[in-house]
Amino acid sequence: MLYEIPQIEHVNARSTEEAIYWLSRYGDKAKVIAGGTDLLSLIKDKINGPQMPIPEVLINIKTIPEMDRIDYSPGKGLSIGATTTLYDIESSNEVREKFGMLADAAHEVATNQIRNMGTIGGNLVQRPWCWYFRVPQFNCYKKGGPQCYAISGSHKYYFSMLGLGVCVMAHPSDTAPALMALGAEIVVAGESGQRRVPIDGFFLGPQEVFETVLKPNEIITEVFIPEQPPNTRGSFLKSRLRGTWDFALSSVAARLQITNGSYDDAKIILGGVAPFPFRVPLAEDALRGKRVDEEVISLAAAVAVKRAHPLAQNGYKVPLTQNLVKRALMSASGLEAEV
Amino acid sequence: MTEAKLLVQGIPPEPLDRPFTVIGHSISRIDGVEKVSGTAEYAGDIQLPNMLCAKILRCPHAHARILKIDTSKAEALPGVKAVISRNNFPDWLTYWYLIPQFAFPEIVSYVGQEVAAVAAVDIDTAERALKLIEVDYQELPAVFDPEEALKPTSQKVTPLDVPDSTCPRAPAAWPVGNLYEGKTDIHTRGDIAKGFQDADVVIEEVYNTSYQFHATLQTRSSVIDWDGENMTVHDSCQGVWQVSQDIAKSLGLPMEKVRVVVKYQGGGFGSKAGAQRYLHYASRLAMMAGRPVRIELTRPEEFISHPHRHATKTYLKMGVKRDGTLTAMEGRSILNLGVGSTYGNQKEKLIETAFELYECPNVKLEQVAVYTNTPLTGYMRSVMRAIGDFFLEAHMDRLAVEIGMDPLDLRMKNYAVFGDQVKKLPYSAKNLDKCMKISTDAIDWKHRDRFVEDNKNGPIKRGIGMASYMYDGVGMAPFKASADVVIKRNGTVEVLAGVVDIGGGQATMMAMLAAEELGVNVNSVKTVWGDTGPTQFAPGTHASRMTAEMGPAVVQAAANARKKLFELTAQRLSAEPIELRSALGKIQVSRDQQRSMSFEEACQLIPDGEEIRASGSRKPNPKDIVFHTFGSQACEVEVNTDTGAVRVLRVASAHELGKVLNPKLVDSQHYGGIIMGIGYTLLEDPEFDSKTGIMLNPDLHQYRIPTSLEVPEILPFNIEAPDPFFAYSAKAVGEAPIVPVAPSVRNAIYHAAGIWINSLPITPDAVLKALGKSK
Ligand code: SF4
C-alpha cells in the first residue's frame, strides 16, 4: 500500500454550526469532506495552486445527524440531505417514481464504488475534470494561475463547446442538469444562517475561479426539488467513452409538460458541453405550445446547439449533443425514436 | 506423435505412448485461491525490520541540461539515510534487460526522467527530502514527433540507451540524427515497380496507432534487502534471472550475490520484463544505507516511467489484380522509440507480419525507428505484431472492397504456404485456413449481409469484420531454459523452474507437464518458481515463450526423473525399467498390468535421506524450419451513428497452438487478449501536452482501460495440430489474441457504417468525423 496522503487533521462535525465554525476558524487551510471521492484524489495527486492550497484540516460532515436523508412530502417536494449518497438516491423508490430523471442521472455517475461513497452535495461542488487541472504541473487559471492551458492544448473530451470565458472546462456533474431541469433549490448554510439558492443561480461562469456561489465557509445542507405537476415527463441521457467511470462527453436533461398532445412547458439542460449546466431557452421555446411531433423535436434539437462554437478538437460534440437532445425529447415525449 | 523431435539438449525422451491423463484438463490455476482470497503476499506487502522508503526525484522538463544539483539540504534532513544523484554517481550505467542505460546523465530527455533518489525512514520524510533537492536546469528544445525528429534540422535527442555489441537487444551504434543506429531496416523481395505495373488496383493509405500502456493492477513495487554482502530483491518482475543479471551488472556484484524472488505477480503484460529503472536506484540506496529499502511507484509514475507500446505511423501501398492476386506491397513504418526501448527497434517485428502473412511476389517494407523526447517504450503484449497486423489487415479489407471481393476470399486466395517465400522454407505447422474458417463460421460470415436491411433505418448499424494473424510463441534466442524435477521419498514431486507465473498459469502448466510425464496426479506436484535461489537459469515470462521454451525442458526433466524411479522400481516388479509405465499415481508393467505399485510405494524405494533429481534443458529451434503460431478473429460490432459509439458484441477467436495443455487457462488468454485489444482499439487514448510533453492522463480514469461493460461475448476456439518439436506439441497463446482485435473491429465498422478509420483508438469523435457529421 502506498502512503500518498499527507498527514491531515480530521474533525468530525456534530452539527452544521460546528462545521461552519471550524471552516471559518481554519480559513483556506480547511476543506469539507463527505464522500471524499473528489477531494482525496486532488490531495493524493498533489493538485494545488494559489487558489487551492492542499488542505491541512478536513471537516467531516458525514457525522452531522439528519444530513443523510431523503424526505418526500406529497404536494411539497423532495428534500435530500447533502451527504446522501448517489447510490441511495438512485435506489430510492420515491426518487425513482416521482423524479425519475434524477435517479437516472445519479445512476450514471462514475462507478458503483464511487456512488456508494459520493454524495449529492459533493457531486454539485466537484472541481473540474479538465486534465490540465488534474495533473500538478499546470498552474492554470482555476488553481489561481494566469491562464488556461487547454484552449491552445488538448481538449477533446471533458471540455466545453460553448466557450464563454477564460476556462473551457465542461462542468462534470451528471446530477446538476437533472436538478436544474427539475427546478431544484440548493440550501446553503453559512455564518449568517441559511439561504436558499435556486439552482439556476448556483453555478458561476468560466470567468470565475470557483464553479459555484458557495463561499469557503459555507456548506450545502440540502437539495430541495419541488413537486412536479402531474403532466411532467423527463429524460436524462448521457454519452461517454466508456460504459462506466466516465464523465459526460455530452448529456441532456429534458423535462416536459404535455397536455392533450401539446407541450405546455419544456426545460432542456445540457451537461458536459459548457462550463456550467447549460440551459437552452430557445430550444425550449421551440417546443412550447407546439404539438408533440418528431419534426418539432428535430427542430428544437437543432436550435439547442445553434450557439455552439466548439474548440479545435471537439467539434464532434455539436452533432452528438443535437442527437442526444433529440433522443431525450423523443423519449420524454413518449415517441419511439428510430433505433 | 511418433518421432522424438522434442527440442531439448541431448537425447529427447520417447514420446508418451498412452493417452493423456492430466494434459487437456481444465485444472484451476494453483495460485487462484490465494489470489482471490487476498492472502497472496506481493512484493509490496513485505515488511522487513529497519526498512527504509525510497522516492525518486523526476525531471519536470522534456529536455534539459542539468547544470547543478545540490542535495545538501536533503542529506541534512533528519531521517534521510541515503541520497543519490549524478553528484555521487555521474557515470553509472544501469541495465534494462542487459541494455546499458545512463542512470544519471547530464542531459535529461523526457518529462519524468530520474534525477535523484532518496531513502528515508518514511515516505513523508522521503518526499520532503525530494523537495529540498535543488536542481539547476538549462532547458533545451524538445522534439516529440518522430517525423519531425527525422528532419536534419531537428533537435537531437540524447537517448538513454548506450550501444553495446555484446547485447543483442541494445543498439549496435549511436543514432545518426535521431535515427536508431543510423539506419532503417528494410525487407524486400521481387521487383516493386513491376509489381505495381501488374496491378489492376493500387491503394495507398496512412495508418496511425497510439501508445498503449499496460496499466497493471499491481503498481511496481520492490523490497531490497542488503546484508553487506548478499542482496535479496523481492520484486514484481516477469523474470527473476533477468533482474538478477541486470542488478548485478549495474551494482558491480557477482550474479550469485543477487537473489531475486517473486512470490506473486500482479500483472506485467511485458512491462516488467527486465530490471526496471526504479529498482536500480532503490538497490543502490539499500547498499548505501545498509538497510532494507522499499519502493513503490505511484500510478502516475507507472504511466510516465515504464516502457509502453510505441506509437507508429505507416505509409502503405498495395497493388492487386481484379482476381484478387496481390502483386506488390510497399510500406514505410515509423516507430516512435521515445528516449529508449527494450529490444531497440524491435528488430523488424513491425513489418514482419506484412512481409510473411500473404503470398506477394514483390515487397519492399521499411521500418524506421526514431528517438524523441517522450518516455521509454518496450515490450507489451504482442508489442509490434498488434500494430503490424492492424495496417496489413485493414489494407486487405480495403483492397477486397475495391475489387468487389469477399475479404475472407481475398485472404484465402493469397494464402502463404511457405515461411520464407523466396527460400521456400516450410512451417513446422500452419493451419491458418482452418482458423479463418472456424472463426468466420462462428459468426455466420456467409450471411454477413443479413444486417443490410436493418442498417438502412435508425442510428444503430451492425457489421462483421475479420482479421488473420501470425504470432511467435515458439521460443526465442538465446534458448537458455532449464528445469529440474525432484521426486521425494514421501511421494511428492517438485518442479523447479526459474521463471515467474505472471498470471497466465505458468506454474500450473508446468506442474501438469511434469505430472503427465511422471504419471502422477497433478496435486502431488508443486512448482517452485520465482526464485533464483533454488532454480537454474530460465527465461523471463514474456514474448509468450514459457510453454514453448520451458515445456520441453520440464518434460525432459520429468522423463529423466521417471527413468531413475523406474530403475529403482523395476526389480521389485520383476521387470525391466523400459517395461514400466505410469499413469495417475500408479506404476505398472506394460505386458502384465497386474504387476503394479503406487507411485508413493515406489518413492519409498528411494534411499533414506536422498531424493531423485533430474534436469532438462531446451535447445534452439532449427533454422531450416519456420516456427509460428497463427490465428484469426471475426467480430460483430454495433456503430451508433448518432453518438459515434462503437460496441463490440461478439468475437470468435481461433488460435492455432499445437496442443491445448489446459483449456481453461488457454481460454483465459483469449479473453484477456481480446479485452485488452478492445481497449487499444476503442478506448485507450494517452494524451501528452504538445508544448511541454507532459502526460495529461496518467491515471486509470482518463486513460480508459475496458471494464466488464465493454467485454463482448467471446467464443474461443483452440486449433490443435501436431508439432513434435514442442512439449506434447504445445506452443503459445499468451499474447496472440490481442493482435487481430483492432483490424477486425475496424473492418467491421466499415461493414456496419461504410467508414474506413485508419487511426487508433477509434473514439466517437473519429467516428462522427468519418461519417461527415463534424469537422
Ligand atoms: S479549461 Fe479550465 S481547468 Fe482546464 S486548464 Fe483551462 S482554466 Fe484550467
Side-chain angles (χ1 to χ4, degrees):
Chain A
M1 205 191 62
L2 265 181
Y3 318 106
E4 289 168 282
I5 307 258
Q7 298 261 332
I8 299 176
E9 289 292 325
H10 185 272
V11 182
N12 286 328
R14 299 278 154 209
S15 67
T16 304
E17 292 71 30
E18 189 192 340
I20 289 161
Y21 168 80
W22 290 118
L23 279 175
S24 304
R25 164 134 176 222
Y26 286 111
D28 65 4
K29 285 202 179 75
K31 278 273 175 218
V32 167
I33 185 163
T37 57
D38 183 17
L39 183 64
L40 292 177
S41 69
L42 289 169
I43 296 173
K44 177 167 70 71
D45 292 333
K46 303 186 173 60
I47 308 304
N48 73 109
Q51 293 274 19
M52 54 178 311
I54 293 179
E56 291 165 30
V57 186
L58 296 182
I59 317 294
N60 178 21
I61 59 168
K62 289 191 299 292
T63 41
I64 301 177
E66 302 298 299
M67 271 264 214
D68 172 8
R69 62 180 166 81
I70 298 176
D71 292 329
Y72 173 62
S73 340
K76 279 181 73 187
L78 181 76
S79 161
I80 305 175
T83 61
T84 309
T85 64
L86 296 161
Y87 173 77
D88 284 344
I89 293 171
E90 70 176 281
S91 52
S92 147
N93 286 336
E94 279 156 344
V95 177
R96 192 151 284 291
E97 274 161 31
K98 302 279 173 185
F99 310 90
M101 192 195 318
L102 176 63
D104 288 346
H107 177 71
E108 290 289 321
V109 175
T111 62
N112 287 34
Q113 293 90 331
I114 290 173
R115 295 198 298 278
N116 282 336
M117 293 298 293
T119 63
I120 184 80
N123 192 259
L124 296 175
V125 297
Q126 61 186 311
R127 300 307 316 270
W129 283 93
C130 160
W131 43 25
Y132 289 91
F133 186 85
R134 294 278 162 172
V135 293
Q137 291 99 323
F138 296 93
N139 178 28
C140 82
Y141 184 68
K142 281 278 175 179
K143 299 176 192 171
Q147 69 175 102
C148 170
Y149 293 90
I151 295 176
S152 60
S154 292
H155 47 245
K156 212 155 90 176
Y157 299 131
Y158 295 162
F159 294 91
S160 166
M161 64 167 196
L162 289 141
L164 299 159
V166 184
C167 170
V168 293
M169 70 108 170
H171 199 275
S173 173
D174 290 324
T175 60
L179 289 171
M180 201 178 268
L182 293 166
E185 281 178 343
I186 314 297
V187 183
V188 171
E191 272 187 310
S192 47
Q194 283 205 340
R195 57 189 178 120
R196 300 176 82 86
V197 185
I199 192 166
D200 282 333
F202 184 72
F203 294 99
L204 296 173
Q207 310 289 10
E208 309 290 334
V209 169
F210 295 101
E211 293 79 31
T212 72
V213 298
L214 211 63
K215 301 210 181 69
N217 60 356
E218 288 184 326
I219 60 172
I220 299 178
T221 56
E222 176 190 337
V223 173
F224 176 78
I225 308 171
E227 184 77 306
Q228 304 292 303
N231 59 347
T232 306
R233 305 193 51 159
S235 170
F236 177 84
L237 291 178
K238 171 176 173 179
S239 158
R240 55 179 163 196
L241 286 157
R242 176 165 66 179
T244 184
W245 196 14
D246 229 342
F247 290 98
L249 296 176
S250 176
S251 69
V252 179
R255 172 186 165 279
L256 305 173
Q257 275 165 251
I258 300 173
T259 317
N260 297 329
S262 302
Y263 297 109
D264 290 347
D265 197 11
K267 251 192 195 179
I268 304 170
I269 320 292
L270 309 181
V273 293
F276 45 86
F278 193 82
R279 193 166 167 189
V280 279
L282 289 178
E284 297 168 0
D285 291 346
L287 294 178
R288 231 171 259 123
K290 303 273 165 42
R291 289 209 62 75
V292 173
D293 168 82
E294 180 162 359
E295 230 166 275
V296 171
I297 287 174
S298 297
L299 187 73
V303 171
V305 295
K306 213 157 198 160
R307 281 189 50 205
H309 43 104
L311 300 163
Q313 299 159 358
N314 71 2
Y316 71 97
K317 285 198 175 191
V318 181
L320 171 63
T321 305
Q322 181 176 344
N323 293 330
L324 224 52
V325 172
K326 181 174 171 188
R327 271 170 52 205
L329 293 175
M330 293 287 281
S331 135
S333 302
L335 296 176
E336 272 295 305
E338 270 193 350
V339 281
Chain B
M1 203 198 311
T2 49
E3 211 182 331
K5 284 186 172 177
L6 194 66
L7 292 166
V8 289
Q9 303 283 350
I11 301 161
E14 286 299 314
L16 215 56
D17 63 349
R18 58 160 170 78
F20 290 126
T21 53
V22 177
I23 293 304
H25 292 265
S26 282
I27 291 160
S28 293
R29 63 185 71 211
I30 50 190
D31 55 351
V33 172
E34 299 97 278
K35 280 187 168 173
V36 298
S37 61
T39 54
E41 193 182 47
Y42 293 84
D45 300 326
I46 291 167
Q47 296 285 337
L48 298 177
N50 274 327
M51 192 170 75
L52 302 173
C53 293
K55 274 272 169 194
I56 293 171
L57 182 69
R58 296 181 180 278
C59 168
H61 307 295
H63 203 187
R65 182 187 306 276
I66 296 175
L67 301 175
K68 194 174 157 233
I69 303 182
D70 184 351
T71 57
S72 55
K73 285 186 193 140
E75 280 156 41
L77 185 71
V80 172
K81 301 298 174 191
V83 181
I84 53 174
S85 71
R86 60 179 280 102
N87 289 354
N88 41 4
F89 294 97
D91 304 316
W92 182 22
L93 290 183
T94 61
Y95 291 83
W96 173 24
Y97 222 110
L98 291 180
I99 303 171
Q101 292 185 336
F102 294 115
F104 289 127
E106 181 190 358
I107 292 182
V108 275
S109 306
Y110 76 99
V111 177
Q113 189 172 330
E114 305 83 354
V115 170
V118 301
V121 289
D122 54 34
I123 291 257
D124 271 355
T125 311
E127 291 212 333
R128 262 186 290 139
L130 292 190
K131 289 207 187 91
L132 293 173
I133 298 176
E134 288 160 17
V135 188
D136 282 352
Y137 294 102
Q138 175 198 1
E139 275 192 70
L140 301 170
V143 58
F144 307 124
D145 177 69
E147 282 183 302
E148 206 52 52
L150 281 174
K151 292 183 182 159
T153 52
S154 166
Q155 171 68 33
K156 194 166 160 2
V157 178
T158 313
L160 285 185
D161 299 345
V162 178
D164 181 355
S165 57
T166 65
C167 171
R169 286 174 292 271
W174 290 105
V176 174
N178 292 316
L179 181 64
Y180 183 81
E181 290 179 342
K183 63 180 183 60
T184 65
D185 291 294
I186 299 177
H187 272 15
T188 67
R189 64 173 172 260
D191 178 346
I192 277 290
K194 188 179 165 299
F196 283 115
Q197 268 168 22
D198 292 347
D200 293 324
V201 173
V202 175
I203 296 291
E204 272 188 85
E205 284 294 347
V206 183
Y207 298 92
N208 284 292
T209 66
S210 168
Y211 299 115
Q212 189 182 20
F213 289 79
H214 309 74
T216 58
L217 281 187
Q218 179 192 27
T219 47
R220 260 139 265 263
S221 44
S222 311
V223 171
I224 301 102
D225 194 8
W226 169 251
D227 68 5
E229 207 181 318
N230 293 292
M231 183 173 280
T232 304
V233 178
H234 302 274
D235 204 15
S236 51
C237 65
Q238 290 177 235
V240 281
W241 280 99
Q242 290 61 36
V243 167
S244 168
Q245 261 179 333
D246 284 348
I247 292 294
K249 209 160 173 188
S250 158
L251 299 179
L253 297 170
M255 229 174 116
E256 54 278 10
K257 296 220 176 284
V258 182
R259 178 175 175 186
V260 180
V261 182
V262 176
K263 271 178 100 176
Y264 295 89
Q265 210 263 12
F269 310 115
S271 71
K272 298 174 182 170
Q276 314 271 301
R277 284 177 72 81
Y278 79 87
L279 183 61
H280 294 278
Y281 303 108
S283 306
R284 177 69 82 187
L285 288 168
M287 275 178 97
M288 272 178 71
R291 284 170 66 168
V293 165
R294 177 185 189 279
I295 188 161
E296 178 172 3
L297 299 192
T298 62
R299 185 58 70 180
E301 279 182 303
E302 281 281 308
F303 276 94
I304 57 178
S305 76
H306 85 250
H308 50 76
R309 193 194 306 279
H310 318 59
T312 67
K313 183 173 189 181
T314 297
Y315 298 85
L316 187 61
K317 179 177 168 188
M318 284 172 76
V320 65
K321 287 191 176 161
R322 290 248 162 251
D323 70 355
T325 310
L326 296 178
T327 62
M329 180 189 310
E330 186 177 14
R332 178 175 155 90
S333 285
I334 296 153
L335 188 60
N336 187 348
L337 291 180
V339 294
S341 179
T342 24
Y343 227 135
N345 64 347
Q346 303 294 329
K347 305 295 176 212
E348 302 110 48
K349 276 279 189 298
L350 179 56
I351 51 176
E352 203 179 273
T353 296
F355 197 69
E356 253 188 74
L357 191 60
Y358 297 109
E359 199 163 288
C360 181
N362 309 298
V363 182
K364 180 176 180 228
L365 294 169
E366 188 179 20
Q367 181 170 320
V368 187
V370 192
Y371 288 111
T372 62
N373 292 113
T374 57
L376 294 158
T377 54
Y379 288 138
M380 173 167 199
R381 205 174 202 150
S382 310
V383 59
M384 287 291 114
R385 294 223 183 261
I387 306 169
D389 205 61
F390 173 66
F391 59 73
L392 174 69
E393 289 295 88
H395 216 78
M396 287 297 279
D397 262 49
R398 179 71 198 280
L399 293 176
V401 168
E402 293 294 333
I403 61 168
M405 195 168 181
D406 182 307
L408 175 58
D409 295 344
L410 180 68
R411 288 177 171 86
M412 290 306 299
K413 168 105 190 164
N414 295 285
Y415 196 79
V417 178
F418 291 105
D420 182 320
Q421 294 179 27
V422 178
K423 290 192 203 138
K424 305 255 183 274
L425 296 183
Y427 287 110
S428 69
K430 179 177 178 180
N431 292 275
L432 176 58
D433 46 353
K434 218 169 164 182
C435 295
M436 286 200 262
K437 183 164 176 359
I438 286 173
S439 60
T440 51
D441 280 354
I443 57 154
D444 198 10
W445 178 271
K446 282 204 189 76
H447 301 109
R448 66 191 204 113
D449 287 335
R450 62 190 179 273
F451 306 117
V452 170
E453 268 316 301
D454 282 352
N455 281 354
K456 284 185 185 147
N457 304 311
I460 305 290
K461 320 284 182 196
R462 281 197 181 191
I464 278 179
M466 71 162 296
S468 297
Y469 63 90
M470 54 191 269
Y471 196 69
D472 308 286
V474 288
M476 88 195 244
F479 293 102
K480 264 185 91 182
S482 299
D484 298 294
V485 166
V486 175
I487 304 175
K488 304 209 163 149
R489 263 196 105 223
N490 66 5
T492 61
V493 176
E494 275 180 1
V495 180
L496 305 175
V499 304
V500 174
D501 187 328
I502 61 165
Q506 287 83 5
T508 309
M509 178 271 285
M510 287 185 214
M512 289 173 75
L513 287 174
E516 188 67 71
E517 199 63 34
L518 287 168
V520 298
N521 291 308
V522 71
N523 44 19
S524 37
V525 184
K526 182 175 168 229
T527 307
V528 176
W529 59 270
D531 190 345
T532 54
T535 64
Q536 297 192 65
F537 191 92
T541 309
H542 67 92
S544 302
R545 62 201 294 186
M546 221 26 74
T547 305
E549 266 181 71
M550 288 298 279
V554 171
V555 165
Q556 185 186 30
N560 287 345
R562 183 191 61 209
K563 213 170 143 204
K564 290 187 185 175
L565 185 67
F566 282 3
E567 278 159 13
L568 288 180
T569 328
Q571 213 185 354
R572 278 290 179 95
L573 293 171
S574 320
E576 292 299 315
I578 55 161
E579 291 179 296
L580 300 189
R581 299 289 178 271
S582 58
L584 294 174
K586 200 166 176 194
I587 300 174
Q588 293 175 320
V589 180
S590 58
R591 63 188 150 81
D592 175 8
Q593 305 205 345
Q594 296 309 313
R595 274 147 62 199
S596 71
M597 65 165 63
S598 74
F599 185 81
E600 279 81 14
E601 284 169 328
C603 292
Q604 291 291 318
L605 302 174
I606 299 172
D608 211 3
E610 290 183 25
E611 60 185 21
I612 291 177
R613 177 178 277 261
S615 260
S617 293
R618 181 71 149 80
K619 77 174 182 194
N621 292 359
K623 290 221 156 52
D624 50 351
I625 299 170
V626 182
F627 293 93
H628 277 297
T629 59
F630 297 92
S632 166
Q633 277 174 17
C635 70
E636 185 178 330
V637 308
E638 190 177 275
V639 180
N640 185 328
T641 56
D642 269 0
T643 62
V646 176
R647 271 179 62 205
V648 182
L649 304 175
R650 256 201 310 166
V651 179
S653 174
H655 180 67
E656 177 184 6
L657 72 169
K659 174 75 193 165
V660 179
L661 300 179
N662 180 329
K664 199 165 162 179
L665 291 178
V666 171
D667 288 354
S668 299
Q669 295 303 320
H670 286 269
Y671 301 145
I674 288 166
I675 294 165
M676 204 170 200
I678 286 174
Y680 185 49
T681 310
L682 299 177
L683 290 169
E684 297 174 36
D685 196 2
E687 192 71 28
F688 288 80
D689 179 58
S690 58
K691 294 187 193 77
T692 58
I694 293 170
M695 189 175 184
L696 297 172
N697 52 351
D699 56 70
L700 293 176
H701 164 209
Q702 295 207 55
Y703 183 84
R704 297 169 179 83
I705 56 173
T707 70
S708 56
L709 294 177
E710 280 72 36
V711 178
E713 182 187 355
I714 294 172
L715 310 166
F717 298 95
N718 298 309
I719 312 304
E720 297 191 321
D723 195 336
F725 296 98
F726 300 95
Y728 309 139
S729 292
K731 291 171 283 188
V733 63
E735 296 166 271
I738 193 179
V739 174
V741 177
S744 65
V745 168
R746 175 267 188 195
N747 293 340
I749 291 172
Y750 173 79
H751 187 238
I755 46 173
W756 295 121
I757 298 181
N758 293 340
S759 293
L760 297 180
I762 303 172
T763 43
D765 55 304
V767 173
L768 290 170
K769 200 182 281 176
L771 287 165
K773 297 196 173 181
S774 68
K775 275 185 263 136

